[in-house]
Amino acid sequence: MRKRGKNRGMESKDINRKSTKKIILVGNPNVGKSVVFNYLTGKYVVVSNYPGTTVEVSHGTTKWRGKNITVLDTPGVNSLLPTSEDEIVTRNILLNEKDALIVQVADAKNLRRSLLISSQLSEMGLPFLLVLNMEDEARERGIKINYQELYSLTDARVISTVATQKKNLEKITEELGDLREATLNISYPPALEEAISQIAEFLPEENISPRSIAIMLLSGDKSLKRWLHARLPESRINEIEAIRRSCQAGFDQPISYLINQVRLEKVDEIVRLVTMIKPIKRKRLSTRIGELSVHPFWGVVILIGVVYLLYQVIGVFGAGVAVDFMEKTVFGEYINPFFMRWTGRLVPMAWLRDLLVGQYGLLTMAMTYAFALILPIITFFFIAFGLMEDSGYLPRLAVMSNKIFRLIGLNGKAILPMILGLGCATMATLTTRILESKRDRIIVTLLLALGVPCSAQMAVIFGMLSGFSPMMVVLWAGVVGLVLAVVGYLAARYLPGESSDFVLELPPIRLPRIGNILIKTLSRIEWYLKEAVPLFALSTFILFIMDKTGILINIEKGASPLIKGVLGLPVETTQAFLIGFLRRDYGAAGLLALARAHTLSAEQILVALVTMTLFVPCLANFLVIVKERGWKIGAAISGFILTVAFTVGGLLNLILKITGFKI
Amino acid sequence: MQFNWGKRKPHCHIRGPFCHREAETRDRAIDELLEFIWNLRENGVSDVADLQREASDPEARNILSYMEQEGLFAREGDKVYLREKGEEKAREIIRRHRLTERLLMEIFELSEEEAEKEACKLEHILSPEVTDSVCTFLGHPPVCPHGKPIPPGKCCTAPEKSVKPLVMPLNDLDPGAEGRIVFISTNFPARLDKLSALGVAPGSIIKVRQKKPSPIIQVGETTVAVDPEIIHDIYVKAV
Ligand SMILES: [Zn+2]
Ligand SMILES: [Zn+2]
Ligand SMILES: [Zn+2]
């Protein structure tokens, strides 16, 4: 571990002093940071959550001066005065990592926003290397940057790269030995400057300059609260707040906004001096595609096309062909018989054999389930999701759906976790953090748990529905969709708190890089194996215990009046619902078995499927909800969903009975 | 001159008509009474009784009869109505009052109370030219911040091409046309921070790429999808 509390010299840092040095990549979103990161670190990357948050930070290692050093890829930021969880994490990394080598990856065609970050790094007193990436895209747009002039104006070390073609990337490590602080310092109006220096005097010498922290505090940054309380007495903190208040009283606009405006002015001045733009009239194809994808009419056409492709890749190929192969051939013919044979020979105790390879066996049930049924589907889903992400289509999908989500009081960003929810609701629940307000996160978490079927569940559902008329699919989707809309609408209406703004940057449409997508997919699969597989094992184990102790039978008996009376389903389906709590798709699979045995009528299948789709979140999802939102909300959401599922199922049953409707 | 203006909270349409401060001149008092009659009419009442209650002291009564002599308004039974001359005058006062309200509340972000107070002063002194510039600056708004109609002036009916508003909400800019951001009016500081971190701030050249299905704005090489309210809150000057 590195030593703490060492004062940093004002001049330059002794670069060679420590072997635990890190390279930290910072920059705006979509500037090719991950490509640079992959170049530096090669294949092996660890994606982990930043402590105490759900924000992912990637770690890897690279060779520098003959030694292995850690490279950290921080979440993309638009400002180091944080307005989102991502930005808080990046700012905290800069605040806490002493003596790191900082590389700012920036978009050459968007020098303005790049320098906005540079000016903040400079304000923090951190030496950094400015990598102006995507130089080719800038050139295509007729933007020319005078690097010499930029260097002389800012003192920042600058190199220009085209990361996707590996052009000039080797220079990054070469330049790292000679970092220096840029002099992109900005002076603010006198009233602000006075307050800044007053606050800065109270602050301890840290990894980043007291001035920069003072500016954050003056801007009303609440995310520094913990940091502040660990260092200053309460009275000082109150004093700082008093300074901030009296300073703010002198301005009509929020201080943070004023500061940003002054920064922008200064940056604009530099940009004017160092860039030359020769406007290029010709529209590039990618721009045209980008425009069409958000067009009121063509956007919808493209959307339908994309959904159809997704269905083909994930539903037909992933959930059909790939799962069949894994389940029947790989596991059915080789792995499971192998396990059974060897357990039979090596394990004398019957109960242990049962635990491993029985009906609820850890190897036969949990592993088959995790690797043969879910893994293929989720792999194809992650590939498709990565393609949509890297091509820039995903945010455009949010544009297309903004109107619909606004109807239920959310905004278009909610589509992103929802789409991911079609892959795995558990993972999607984690990504609700892209929504800014807590209220929106809770609503989307609720909708995900309530009625967005994950790919595995969807596969089973489509399997069941395929034998019937399309009417069945329409009714199933219609009822579930209606419930989602009504619950979403009511939740948005009655949940306290503010809805978040829809402000979403649209990156240019680009051809995705296959290598990048594979790396991303691999790290997501790794996540799935680490997070979800133990839960499968746990669920199976609980089932095993419940089966052996007879609890399973008793619960079945206890719940059967509800199943029979309210839903009008045979008693045998109880077990499917019970299992459904452990894995929703497990439950659906149980129903599928019953349907195959012709013990259910078409109407019963519809009622059972609707109820099962709306049924309580699976154990894994439930645990993630608890982890993200706390016990109270987790329990409230589950209780609510259980009630809704049975009420809707019961009503549907009643309506079908009364009208005598036959499918 | 002393009037009994009553204790009502001054407001352009909800309750009382009068500005809270005491009128100093007869002209000003006339303005206020005309404004009052106009407001009464908008609320669907025009009883003489109301008018008399508002101008209960002798001084005010004097003015009322003077106004009647001057042919500004007339009584018919227990109803009051504005005559042509009075109608014209009242219309202008109301127009000035409500335009000022809009200017002060939206652009200078004054509180409702402050704006009302200032509007009451300015409604008496703004010249027709300044009024029309304010109207043009605001993009000829049809209603005041309280939703009451602003009587249109000459500037509003002039052919649209010849008098382009100086400053208008980004929403009124044609898709593809460029404007320079003059200010962003919003009550959500977090929104301002987010927008300015993306480079959307006063001084920047901005354009609306499309308005449907969801507005998309562009500043330099930055393209951002936003809520429709946001492009109503960004005021630009066409360039
Ligand atoms: Zn008045
Ligand atoms: Zn008004
Ligand atoms: Zn006008």
Side-chain angles (χ1 to χ4, degrees):
Chain A
M1 279 276 77
R2 57 197 43 191
K3 270 187 260 162
R4 300 202 125 253
K6 180 138 183 15
N7 282 3
R8 193 176 55 76
M10 279 311 283
E11 294 305 306
S12 73
K13 294 178 177 181
D14 180 3
I15 299 289
N16 292 313
R17 196 179 44 204
K18 289 189 186 106
S19 55
T20 49
K21 193 172 279 302
K22 282 182 185 161
I23 295 177
I24 297 178
L25 302 181
V26 292
N28 295 98
N30 299 305
V31 294
K33 217 154 42 70
S34 60
V35 184
V36 172
F37 178 75
N38 291 339
Y39 168 82
L40 288 174
T41 58
K43 296 278 172 291
Y44 193 73
V45 170
V46 183
V47 181
S48 62
N49 287 352
Y50 189 74
T53 69
T54 52
V55 177
E56 286 177 354
V57 177
S58 312
H59 306 251
T61 54
T62 193
K63 272 253 182 299
W64 188 65
R65 301 196 161 172
K67 280 185 190 143
N68 278 334
I69 67 168
T70 305
V71 186
L72 229 103
D73 188 12
T74 62
V77 295
N78 288 318
S79 173
L80 294 172
L81 173 69
T83 58
S84 70
E85 207 177 359
D86 280 10
E87 290 174 347
I88 292 175
V89 167
T90 301
R91 197 274 321 273
N92 286 352
I93 289 175
L94 292 172
L95 185 61
N96 297 323
E97 293 287 346
K98 315 243 182 242
D99 292 324
L101 301 167
I102 292 164
V103 176
Q104 187 199 342
V105 184
D107 183 350
K109 65 179 184 297
N110 210 332
L111 191 59
R112 185 166 185 247
R113 281 176 55 201
S114 312
L115 290 180
L116 210 51
I117 305 273
S118 309
S119 74
Q120 294 174 64
L121 287 172
S122 172
E123 215 158 59
M124 289 176 170
L126 295 170
F128 65 97
L129 171 68
L130 179 57
V131 176
L132 286 179
N133 189 28
M134 306 199 277
E135 191 263 331
D136 54 336
E137 286 188 4
R139 200 157 9 94
E140 264 178 47
R141 287 165 169 77
I143 300 169
K144 250 191 99 178
I145 296 169
N146 185 338
Y147 293 95
Q148 198 53 49
E149 185 72 16
L150 183 59
Y151 174 69
S152 66
L153 281 171
T154 63
D155 279 339
R157 293 245 150 222
V158 188
I159 59 172
S160 87
T161 59
V162 183
T164 50
Q165 294 162 25
K166 296 203 165 64
K167 201 176 139 196
N168 273 356
L169 287 184
E170 73 287 348
K171 283 199 184 157
I172 294 177
T173 40
E174 284 167 25
E175 295 277 333
L176 277 180
D178 189 24
L179 295 186
R180 66 185 70 173
E181 283 176 32
T183 52
L184 238 165
N185 299 321
I186 290 167
S187 38
Y188 300 99
L192 290 180
E193 281 295 343
E194 198 180 315
I196 292 169
S197 54
Q198 274 175 357
I199 296 176
E201 257 173 50
F202 298 153
L203 300 174
E205 190 69 32
E206 277 287 335
N207 191 39
I208 65 175
S209 73
R211 176 180 165 85
S212 66
I213 299 174
I215 292 172
M216 291 172 202
L217 291 172
L218 189 62
S219 302
D221 184 351
K222 289 189 182 63
S223 62
L224 280 170
K225 211 169 163 189
R226 266 250 289 308
W227 182 91
L228 215 52
H229 278 272
R231 282 161 183 80
L232 297 183
E234 193 69 29
S235 58
R236 267 288 142 82
I237 296 172
N238 292 339
E239 237 174 301
I240 291 176
E241 179 56 21
I243 295 174
R244 193 192 73 78
R245 269 212 213 109
S246 80
C247 182
Q248 177 64 77
F251 297 97
D252 280 341
Q253 291 167 318
I255 289 176
S256 54
Y257 182 52
L258 283 170
I259 285 180
N260 251 331
Q261 282 185 60
V262 177
R263 279 189 190 136
L264 266 177
E265 270 167 37
K266 165 98 181 177
V267 162
D268 277 339
E269 200 183 298
I270 299 173
V271 171
R272 254 197 308 280
L273 290 171
V274 302
T275 44
M276 254 188 23
I277 304 180
K278 250 191 282 159
I280 288 175
K281 281 270 139 36
R282 185 174 51 93
K283 248 188 201 162
R284 274 156 305 105
L285 180 66
S286 60
T287 312
R288 194 76 202 116
I289 295 173
E291 280 173 8
L292 286 179
S293 69
V294 288
H295 187 273
F297 174 73
W298 293 110
V300 177
V301 173
I302 292 175
L303 178 66
I304 291 170
V306 169
V307 170
Y308 179 75
L309 269 178
L310 285 180
Y311 172 71
Q312 284 296 325
V313 173
I314 303 166
V316 175
F317 190 77
V321 180
V323 168
D324 255 16
F325 172 74
M326 289 293 281
E327 192 190 10
K328 295 208 179 103
T329 312
V330 178
F331 274 78
E333 285 176 24
Y334 300 99
I335 296 180
N336 283 346
F338 170 85
F339 277 138
M340 284 186 192
R341 217 171 33 244
W342 281 99
T343 334
R345 278 187 210 166
L346 296 177
V347 183
M349 294 87 92
W351 65 269
L352 189 56
R353 262 205 312 271
D354 241 18
L355 174 62
L356 292 173
V357 297
Q359 189 193 356
Y360 303 108
L362 289 180
L363 294 172
T364 40
M365 189 177 187
M367 292 305 121
T368 307
Y369 202 78
F371 288 94
L373 289 179
I374 312 282
L375 185 64
I377 299 172
I378 219 156
T379 304
F380 282 100
F381 179 81
F382 286 152
I383 292 175
F385 192 78
L387 282 171
M388 294 208 291
E389 210 173 26
D390 280 18
S391 61
Y393 185 68
L394 219 45
R396 287 169 170 86
L397 199 59
V399 173
M400 292 310 292
S401 53
N402 192 31
K403 225 175 187 166
I404 296 165
F405 279 98
R406 277 170 67 92
L407 287 180
I408 61 167
L410 290 170
N411 69 49
K413 277 191 197 171
I415 189 90
L416 307 179
M418 294 284 216
I419 288 269
L420 199 54
L422 293 174
C424 171
T426 309
M427 188 162 191
T429 303
L430 287 172
T431 61
T432 51
R433 65 180 167 81
I434 62 161
L435 305 168
E436 281 105 28
S437 82
K438 195 176 156 205
R439 165 186 171 277
D440 288 10
R441 291 181 191 181
I442 292 176
I443 297 173
V444 174
T445 303
L446 169 65
L447 295 182
L448 278 170
L450 175 64
V452 178
C454 66
S455 54
Q457 192 187 11
M458 193 94 105
V460 181
I461 289 171
F462 276 116
M464 270 178 94
L465 292 174
S466 59
F468 296 92
S469 72
M471 186 60 176
M472 191 88 152
V473 183
V474 172
L475 282 175
W476 169 76
V479 173
V480 172
L482 187 70
V483 171
L484 279 183
V486 170
V487 169
Y489 175 77
L490 292 177
R493 207 154 158 189
Y494 292 110
L495 264 187
E498 258 172 38
S499 63
S500 43
D501 271 342
F502 182 59
V503 175
L504 185 63
E505 194 185 356
L506 303 182
I509 291 278
R510 295 191 181 110
L511 205 59
R513 314 257 319 149
I514 301 303
N516 225 22
I517 285 173
L518 289 182
I519 289 175
K520 234 191 266 194
T521 305
L522 283 178
S523 76
R524 281 177 177 152
I525 288 174
E526 191 191 333
W527 172 87
Y528 161 78
L529 295 179
K530 274 206 282 213
E531 299 277 316
V533 172
L535 281 175
F536 288 145
L538 179 68
S539 315
T540 315
F541 183 66
I542 293 173
L543 261 185
F544 172 82
I545 299 282
M546 282 165 75
D547 182 45
K548 287 290 167 209
T549 52
I551 296 174
L552 202 58
I553 305 260
N554 280 325
I555 296 181
E556 255 171 61
K557 272 193 201 134
S560 62
L562 186 67
I563 302 289
K564 224 172 157 174
V566 177
L567 301 179
L569 296 174
V571 193
E572 298 86 67
T573 50
T574 314
Q575 198 190 354
F577 281 103
L578 198 58
I579 297 173
F581 174 64
L582 299 173
R583 288 294 306 173
R584 268 209 269 188
D585 38 345
Y586 255 168
L591 291 178
L592 179 62
L594 289 170
R596 284 233 174 102
H598 301 289
T599 47
L600 299 173
S601 71
E603 291 74 31
Q604 281 178 323
I605 289 180
L606 181 65
V607 172
L609 277 186
V610 165
T611 314
M612 183 64 79
T613 310
L614 298 175
F615 201 54
V616 285
C618 69
L619 190 61
N621 192 6
F622 175 73
L623 291 178
V624 165
I625 295 175
V626 169
K627 190 178 138 216
E628 291 280 295
R629 305 266 89 89
W631 273 104
K632 259 204 212 139
I633 290 177
I637 285 182
S638 301
F640 174 76
I641 288 175
L642 198 65
T643 318
V644 170
F646 280 98
T647 312
V648 172
L651 277 175
L652 187 62
N653 176 38
L654 206 64
I655 292 169
L656 287 173
K657 278 236 173 80
I658 290 172
T659 56
F661 187 80
K662 288 273 168 264
I663 300 162
Chain B
M1 234 179 268
Q2 283 283 303
F3 287 110
N4 171 21
W5 297 126
K7 289 226 165 59
R8 299 180 185 195
K9 191 178 169 228
H11 198 280
C12 74
H13 60 99
I14 295 178
R15 268 163 299 173
F18 296 129
C19 298
H20 213 58
R21 57 201 300 276
E22 295 171 357
E24 286 150 3
T25 66
R26 187 169 65 182
D27 281 351
R28 187 163 283 200
I30 292 172
D31 281 358
E32 297 298 349
L33 284 167
L34 285 171
E35 196 180 359
F36 179 63
I37 298 172
W38 181 286
N39 276 318
L40 277 184
R41 192 174 65 184
E42 261 178 3
N43 292 341
V45 280
S46 31
D47 289 347
V48 173
D50 275 300
L51 191 60
Q52 277 168 341
R53 209 176 317 118
E54 278 306 313
S56 51
D57 65 286
E59 211 57 74
R61 271 157 206 264
N62 260 343
I63 299 230
L64 269 186
S65 50
Y66 170 79
M67 284 165 72
E68 221 172 343
Q69 271 169 33
E70 284 291 295
L72 293 173
F73 75 93
R75 304 171 206 235
E76 216 179 67
D78 57 353
K79 300 270 174 265
V80 230
Y81 64 93
L82 291 166
R83 297 180 61 177
E84 204 176 317
K85 218 165 123 193
E87 173 90 20
E88 186 56 36
K89 228 169 141 54
R91 197 186 136 77
E92 275 161 17
I93 299 157
I94 292 286
R95 175 170 155 79
R96 290 196 291 263
H97 183 100
R98 291 180 183 169
L99 277 173
T100 327
E101 271 183 339
R102 239 193 126 98
L103 180 77
L104 297 177
M105 277 173 75
E106 286 184 2
I107 293 176
F108 299 144
E109 293 178 354
L110 257 55
S111 70
E112 193 175 322
E113 221 166 290
E114 281 175 304
E116 189 63 33
K117 221 165 75 193
E118 292 304 313
C120 281
K121 285 186 226 160
L122 291 167
E123 70 190 11
H124 308 292
I125 51 176
L126 282 188
S127 72
E129 291 76 30
V130 175
T131 308
D132 279 1
S133 324
V134 169
C135 187
T136 308
F137 173 76
L138 293 169
H140 312 284
V143 289
C144 81
H146 308 95
K148 286 277 160 177
I150 299 176
K154 267 197 218 93
C155 61
C156 309
T157 46
E160 225 179 280
K161 289 286 171 301
S162 65
V163 193
K164 264 269 176 197
L166 230 51
V167 170
M168 57 186 152
L170 184 55
N171 185 49
D172 293 352
L173 206 63
D174 295 328
E178 287 192 328
R180 182 180 294 278
I181 301 178
V182 179
F183 59 88
I184 303 175
S185 131
T186 169
N187 301 318
F188 309 104
R191 184 186 287 177
L192 290 175
D193 288 343
K194 213 179 306 166
L195 288 173
S196 65
L198 289 168
V200 181
S204 308
I205 301 282
I206 192 171
K207 68 177 163 196
V208 187
R209 289 243 301 245
Q210 64 174 47
K211 290 177 191 170
K212 277 182 171 137
S214 209
I216 294 179
I217 57 180
Q218 188 176 355
V219 172
E221 290 294 330
T222 301
T223 308
V224 190
V226 295
D227 273 326
E229 299 87 65
I230 294 179
I231 59 167
H232 280 95
D233 281 350
I234 299 177
Y235 285 77
V236 297
K237 196 169 173 168
V239 291

PDB file of all heavy atoms in Angstrom, chain B residues 95 132 135-136 139-141 152-157, ligand 3:
ATOM      1  N   ARG B  95     -50.915  45.582 -21.778  1.00  0.00           N
ATOM      2  CA  ARG B  95     -49.838  45.031 -22.597  1.00  0.00           C
ATOM      3  C   ARG B  95     -48.486  45.307 -21.948  1.00  0.00           C
ATOM      4  O   ARG B  95     -47.655  44.411 -21.797  1.00  0.00           O
ATOM      5  CB  ARG B  95     -49.911  45.670 -23.990  1.00  0.00           C
ATOM      6  CG  ARG B  95     -48.790  45.297 -24.920  1.00  0.00           C
ATOM      7  CD  ARG B  95     -49.110  45.779 -26.328  1.00  0.00           C
ATOM      8  NE  ARG B  95     -47.913  45.977 -27.109  1.00  0.00           N
ATOM      9  CZ  ARG B  95     -47.250  44.996 -27.682  1.00  0.00           C
ATOM     10  NH1 ARG B  95     -47.692  43.753 -27.549  1.00  0.00           N
ATOM     11  NH2 ARG B  95     -46.156  45.220 -28.362  1.00  0.00           N
ATOM     12  N   ASP B 132     -42.560  47.777 -27.730  1.00  0.00           N
ATOM     13  CA  ASP B 132     -42.472  46.886 -28.885  1.00  0.00           C
ATOM     14  C   ASP B 132     -41.127  46.159 -28.946  1.00  0.00           C
ATOM     15  O   ASP B 132     -41.066  44.999 -29.353  1.00  0.00           O
ATOM     16  CB  ASP B 132     -42.711  47.667 -30.186  1.00  0.00           C
ATOM     17  CG  ASP B 132     -44.209  47.867 -30.425  1.00  0.00           C
ATOM     18  OD1 ASP B 132     -45.000  47.417 -29.578  1.00  0.00           O
ATOM     19  OD2 ASP B 132     -44.574  48.476 -31.461  1.00  0.00           O
ATOM     20  N   CYS B 135     -41.340  43.381 -26.544  1.00  0.00           N
ATOM     21  CA  CYS B 135     -42.206  42.353 -27.119  1.00  0.00           C
ATOM     22  C   CYS B 135     -41.432  41.523 -28.137  1.00  0.00           C
ATOM     23  O   CYS B 135     -41.489  40.301 -28.144  1.00  0.00           O
ATOM     24  CB  CYS B 135     -43.421  43.025 -27.755  1.00  0.00           C
ATOM     25  SG  CYS B 135     -44.659  41.858 -28.305  1.00  0.00           S
ATOM     26  N   THR B 136     -40.666  42.235 -28.987  1.00  0.00           N
ATOM     27  CA  THR B 136     -39.894  41.537 -30.018  1.00  0.00           C
ATOM     28  C   THR B 136     -38.791  40.704 -29.387  1.00  0.00           C
ATOM     29  O   THR B 136     -38.574  39.550 -29.764  1.00  0.00           O
ATOM     30  CB  THR B 136     -39.278  42.563 -30.987  1.00  0.00           C
ATOM     31  OG1 THR B 136     -40.316  43.416 -31.441  1.00  0.00           O
ATOM     32  CG2 THR B 136     -38.646  41.874 -32.174  1.00  0.00           C
ATOM     33  N   GLY B 139     -40.013  37.633 -28.277  1.00  0.00           N
ATOM     34  CA  GLY B 139     -40.598  36.776 -29.307  1.00  0.00           C
ATOM     35  C   GLY B 139     -42.116  36.872 -29.336  1.00  0.00           C
ATOM     36  O   GLY B 139     -42.803  35.882 -29.575  1.00  0.00           O
ATOM     37  N   HIS B 140     -42.650  38.059 -29.084  1.00  0.00           N
ATOM     38  CA  HIS B 140     -44.096  38.297 -29.132  1.00  0.00           C
ATOM     39  C   HIS B 140     -44.885  37.252 -28.353  1.00  0.00           C
ATOM     40  O   HIS B 140     -45.677  36.508 -28.920  1.00  0.00           O
ATOM     41  CB  HIS B 140     -44.604  38.356 -30.581  1.00  0.00           C
ATOM     42  CG  HIS B 140     -43.771  39.228 -31.453  1.00  0.00           C
ATOM     43  ND1 HIS B 140     -43.830  40.603 -31.422  1.00  0.00           N
ATOM     44  CD2 HIS B 140     -42.814  38.913 -32.368  1.00  0.00           C
ATOM     45  CE1 HIS B 140     -42.964  41.095 -32.293  1.00  0.00           C
ATOM     46  NE2 HIS B 140     -42.329  40.102 -32.870  1.00  0.00           N
ATOM     47  N   PRO B 141     -44.678  37.202 -27.045  1.00  0.00           N
ATOM     48  CA  PRO B 141     -45.376  36.166 -26.261  1.00  0.00           C
ATOM     49  C   PRO B 141     -46.876  36.438 -26.229  1.00  0.00           C
ATOM     50  O   PRO B 141     -47.287  37.598 -26.101  1.00  0.00           O
ATOM     51  CB  PRO B 141     -44.779  36.322 -24.862  1.00  0.00           C
ATOM     52  CG  PRO B 141     -44.292  37.726 -24.812  1.00  0.00           C
ATOM     53  CD  PRO B 141     -43.868  38.082 -26.199  1.00  0.00           C
ATOM     54  N   PRO B 152     -51.882  42.035 -28.366  1.00  0.00           N
ATOM     55  CA  PRO B 152     -50.801  42.193 -29.347  1.00  0.00           C
ATOM     56  C   PRO B 152     -50.625  43.655 -29.740  1.00  0.00           C
ATOM     57  O   PRO B 152     -51.585  44.424 -29.746  1.00  0.00           O
ATOM     58  CB  PRO B 152     -51.255  41.364 -30.541  1.00  0.00           C
ATOM     59  CG  PRO B 152     -52.717  41.182 -30.370  1.00  0.00           C
ATOM     60  CD  PRO B 152     -53.022  41.285 -28.913  1.00  0.00           C
ATOM     61  N   GLY B 153     -49.376  44.017 -30.060  1.00  0.00           N
ATOM     62  CA  GLY B 153     -49.104  45.373 -30.510  1.00  0.00           C
ATOM     63  C   GLY B 153     -48.814  45.376 -32.003  1.00  0.00           C
ATOM     64  O   GLY B 153     -48.959  44.345 -32.660  1.00  0.00           O
ATOM     65  N   LYS B 154     -48.346  46.520 -32.507  1.00  0.00           N
ATOM     66  CA  LYS B 154     -48.043  46.616 -33.938  1.00  0.00           C
ATOM     67  C   LYS B 154     -46.976  45.613 -34.328  1.00  0.00           C
ATOM     68  O   LYS B 154     -47.040  44.965 -35.361  1.00  0.00           O
ATOM     69  CB  LYS B 154     -47.557  48.028 -34.271  1.00  0.00           C
ATOM     70  CG  LYS B 154     -48.664  48.943 -34.718  1.00  0.00           C
ATOM     71  CD  LYS B 154     -48.056  50.145 -35.420  1.00  0.00           C
ATOM     72  CE  LYS B 154     -48.808  51.431 -35.084  1.00  0.00           C
ATOM     73  NZ  LYS B 154     -48.248  52.169 -33.929  1.00  0.00           N
ATOM     74  N   CYS B 155     -45.966  45.489 -33.450  1.00  0.00           N
ATOM     75  CA  CYS B 155     -44.832  44.620 -33.763  1.00  0.00           C
ATOM     76  C   CYS B 155     -45.283  43.171 -33.989  1.00  0.00           C
ATOM     77  O   CYS B 155     -44.694  42.433 -34.762  1.00  0.00           O
ATOM     78  CB  CYS B 155     -43.808  44.663 -32.635  1.00  0.00           C
ATOM     79  SG  CYS B 155     -44.461  44.096 -31.052  1.00  0.00           S
ATOM     80  N   CYS B 156     -46.353  42.781 -33.270  1.00  0.00           N
ATOM     81  CA  CYS B 156     -46.771  41.379 -33.336  1.00  0.00           C
ATOM     82  C   CYS B 156     -47.440  41.045 -34.660  1.00  0.00           C
ATOM     83  O   CYS B 156     -47.353  39.929 -35.135  1.00  0.00           O
ATOM     84  CB  CYS B 156     -47.745  41.052 -32.213  1.00  0.00           C
ATOM     85  SG  CYS B 156     -47.167  41.550 -30.599  1.00  0.00           S
ATOM     86  N   THR B 157     -48.131  42.041 -35.225  1.00  0.00           N
ATOM     87  CA  THR B 157     -48.886  41.739 -36.429  1.00  0.00           C
ATOM     88  C   THR B 157     -48.077  42.008 -37.693  1.00  0.00           C
ATOM     89  O   THR B 157     -48.476  41.611 -38.770  1.00  0.00           O
ATOM     90  CB  THR B 157     -50.187  42.573 -36.467  1.00  0.00           C
ATOM     91  OG1 THR B 157     -49.857  43.908 -36.139  1.00  0.00           O
ATOM     92  CG2 THR B 157     -51.207  42.031 -35.485  1.00  0.00           C
TER      93      THR B 157
HETATM   94 ZN    ZN C   3     -44.947  41.949 -30.495  1.00  0.00          ZN
END
